[in-house]
Amino acid sequence: MLKVLGLTVLLSFSAAATAASVADTHTEMAGCESCHADGAPSSDMAFENEACITCHGSLKELEGEMHTQHDGIITCSDCHVVHEEASANDSCANCH
Ligand code: HEC
Ligand code: HEC
Ligand code: HEC
Ligand code: HEC
């Protein structure tokens, strides 16, 4: 019984590791400063969304229809809830 329990715990740990949030993966790479000016969030997230574009490119340059379809309409953080272990696919229902 204990062995079975141990295995369950191990499996849930590895699942959490692969589902790390975007903010966590980026903080590991380059710190909070990779998105936030001086590491502190802005009031409107304009700086943060500009940071995404500087590294990844704009909506019309990114691969995938879901990106090009929203060019000039919404921003990265409207779909990518970066501090949560969530897929951007789960954001569609917020608007559609
Ligand atoms: C990949 C870019 C990115 C990284 C790295 C990142 N953040 Fe964020 N952060 C955002 C975005 C975008 C938001 C807006 C909410 C959202 O989309 O989750 C946000 C929201 C926040 C908020 C909430 C602000 C509010 O008004 O609700 C805090 C606090 C914060 N971040 C702190 C941090 C700290 C501290 C770190 C480092 C440990 C960090 N962030 C790393 C992009 C990032
Ligand atoms: C300092 C440069 C930099 C900034 C700023 C940045 N990224 Fe990234 N991002 C990377 C790199 C490097 C990778 C890993 C390699 C890759 O997949 O392109 C990555 C990976 C990703 C991934 C793949 C999953 C993951 O977490 O690794 C997503 C999604 C992503 N970024 C979205 C964003 C969003 C949204 C923002 C703005 C809130 C952002 N990035 C800001 C450099 C950056
Ligand atoms: C309409 C919603 C939407 C918007 C807006 C959006 N994305 Fe995405 N993005 C997605 C979806 C859906 C995926 C693929 C599913 C996933 O990996 O979560 C994705 C995937 C990505 C990936 C690749 C992730 C990987 O696993 O390799 C990167 C990088 C990325 N987006 C960056 C951005 C950046 C930068 C912006 C802003 C310029 C942006 N996205 C705006 C929905 C969106
Ligand atoms: C923050 C709000 C928001 C989010 C989140 C969002 N969208 Fe949109 N989307 C819009 C708006 C606004 C338009 C342009 C007006 C319209 O056609 O409804 C649009 C347009 C579209 C279109 C083009 C429709 C057409 O008639 O040309 C498709 C397809 C689409 N979105 C799919 C998605 C998918 C898939 C996701 C999740 C990955 C998503 N959207 C996330 C707001 C959003």
Side-chain angles (χ1 to χ4, degrees):
M1 190 59 204
L2 264 180
K3 263 189 186 159
V4 172
L5 202 63
L7 183 63
T8 311
V9 170
L10 270 179
L11 285 175
S12 51
F13 267 127
S14 64
T18 52
S21 74
V22 171
D24 285 349
T25 61
H26 289 66
T27 299
E28 217 164 276
M29 287 189 280
C32 312
E33 293 78 9
S34 51
C35 297
H36 298 297
D38 300 321
S42 67
S43 53
D44 59 2
M45 292 297 146
F47 181 91
E48 286 78 355
N49 279 297
E50 208 42 54
C52 316
I53 292 168
T54 303
C55 291
H56 289 284
S58 63
L59 280 170
K60 67 168 180 285
E61 294 159 343
L62 280 162
E63 282 187 24
E65 282 201 305
M66 68 284 190
H67 290 134
T68 51
Q69 270 158 349
H70 295 90
D71 178 40
I73 303 175
I74 55 176
T75 60
C76 315
S77 61
D78 285 326
C79 290
H80 293 274
V81 187
V82 302
H83 279 278
E84 282 172 34
E85 295 170 8
S87 164
N89 282 307
D90 299 335
S91 303
C92 315
N94 293 345
C95 301
H96 294 286

